[in-house]
Amino acid sequence: MDDKKISIAVIKRLPRYYRYLSDLLDAGITKISSKELSERMDLTASQVRQDFNCFGGFGQQGYGYNVRKLYEEIAEILGIEQAYDVVMVGAGNMGQAVAKYDNFKRRGYNLNAIFDINPDVVGNTIAGIPVYHLDDMVEYIKTHKTDIVTLTVPAKVGTTIVDMIGGLGIKGIWNFSYADLHEAAEKYGIIVENVHLSDSLMILGYRLHTEK
Ligand code: ATP
């Protein structure tokens, strides 16, 4: 399987397939047709077939898909079997909410340390995770395996943080801040995934006044 050939549009649907297939396995279902799966997921059967064809199929005409094989393949593509070491910068409201949400840990993303500059939070723990001063971050990353930095800081400090971690071997940034990091990340070869909750809310607002 060459995952470079899978388009980002397909990749974006994989977590949802993964959750559905997990539910099917829990229910003891071992085979499912593209039609059944598409109905459950509100997609078209041809969309499901096209998506699964991208990474090897696992279906046979008339017999349906092997649920476990698909589940395992999607887990591999998403890197779910892999464990990632994560640090977070910014222990404000958003940082604390993300740190407390332990679903990420079950997916193999281990949050090991949090950094901030606010003396009210430095020295505390959040969900059992220590909060250190930002001044200690570079040394921490140099001495502790760290794959991902989660950014929950104000927009204006986002690029400063990327400049601090660039060249330290960080592979990805999970960017909740509104800083536009594409240039900085390109410079250091770091992959950025943005999570902009207010943007999502604005889209809901737009849909409410256009679709209702
Ligand atoms: P949130 O936006 O998450 O609700 P908040 O409103 O409490 O948080 P923000 O001003 O957005 O606060 O800052 C988020 C966190 O980032 C705060 O805990 C703040 O102390 C921290 N922070 C601000 N500047 C830096 C920096 N340069 N390095 C590390 N942390 C920082």
Side-chain angles (χ1 to χ4, degrees):
M1 192 259 333
D2 180 359
D3 55 1
K4 288 205 180 68
K5 286 192 192 132
I6 305 175
S7 77
I8 197 74
V10 178
I11 297 288
K12 282 187 173 170
R13 282 192 286 276
L14 292 187
R16 219 171 139 229
Y17 284 129
Y18 180 77
R19 286 198 303 275
Y20 266 81
L21 293 165
S22 167
D23 290 347
L24 293 177
L25 283 177
D26 287 347
I29 297 167
T30 56
K31 287 246 190 287
I32 189 157
S33 68
S34 50
K35 186 167 177 289
E36 274 173 287
L37 194 58
S38 65
E39 279 165 6
R40 283 175 189 238
M41 295 186 65
D42 196 24
L43 296 166
T44 67
S46 87
Q47 176 81 82
V48 170
R49 281 195 297 272
Q50 265 178 33
D51 285 353
F52 292 174
N53 278 340
C54 291
F55 50 90
F58 299 117
Q60 233 179 316
Q61 197 69 42
Y63 288 92
Y65 290 96
N66 180 321
V67 175
R68 178 159 295 282
K69 276 192 175 165
L70 263 180
Y71 175 79
E72 286 170 359
E73 182 73 3
I74 291 173
E76 199 190 316
I77 295 168
L78 293 174
I80 280 169
E81 303 301 311
Q82 207 175 321
Y84 295 99
D85 288 297
V86 184
V87 302
M88 170 182 280
V89 189
N93 291 310
M94 179 63 78
Q96 296 197 26
V98 173
K100 287 175 184 166
Y101 187 60
D102 76 349
N103 202 24
F104 307 130
K105 190 171 185 151
R106 274 186 263 135
R107 295 261 178 264
Y109 294 82
N110 298 310
L111 179 59
N112 301 321
I114 303 173
F115 297 91
D116 205 294
I117 51 168
N118 180 353
D120 293 341
V121 292
V122 171
N124 295 346
T125 59
I126 296 167
I129 300 144
V131 183
Y132 302 119
H133 197 278
L134 184 74
D135 290 349
D136 299 326
M137 181 183 70
V138 169
E139 188 55 28
Y140 179 96
I141 292 174
K142 282 182 179 167
T143 52
H144 298 77
K145 179 179 160 291
T146 306
D147 306 299
I148 296 170
V149 173
T150 300
L151 279 188
T152 40
V153 284
K156 60 181 187 297
V157 294
T159 42
T160 317
I161 306 291
V162 181
D163 282 332
M164 289 173 75
I165 62 173
L168 297 180
I170 298 297
K171 296 177 194 141
I173 294 175
W174 200 24
N175 180 33
F176 286 78
S177 85
Y178 287 90
D180 190 343
L181 301 179
H182 74 272
E183 273 180 19
E186 208 169 292
K187 184 165 146 197
Y188 300 113
I190 301 175
I191 294 168
V192 177
E193 180 62 27
N194 295 309
V195 185
H196 293 162
L197 294 183
S198 302
D199 292 5
S200 173
L201 198 54
M202 278 191 273
I203 291 166
L204 178 63
Y206 167 80
R207 293 185 58 193
L208 289 185
H209 78 81
T210 53
E211 294 176 25
K212 281 274 165 194

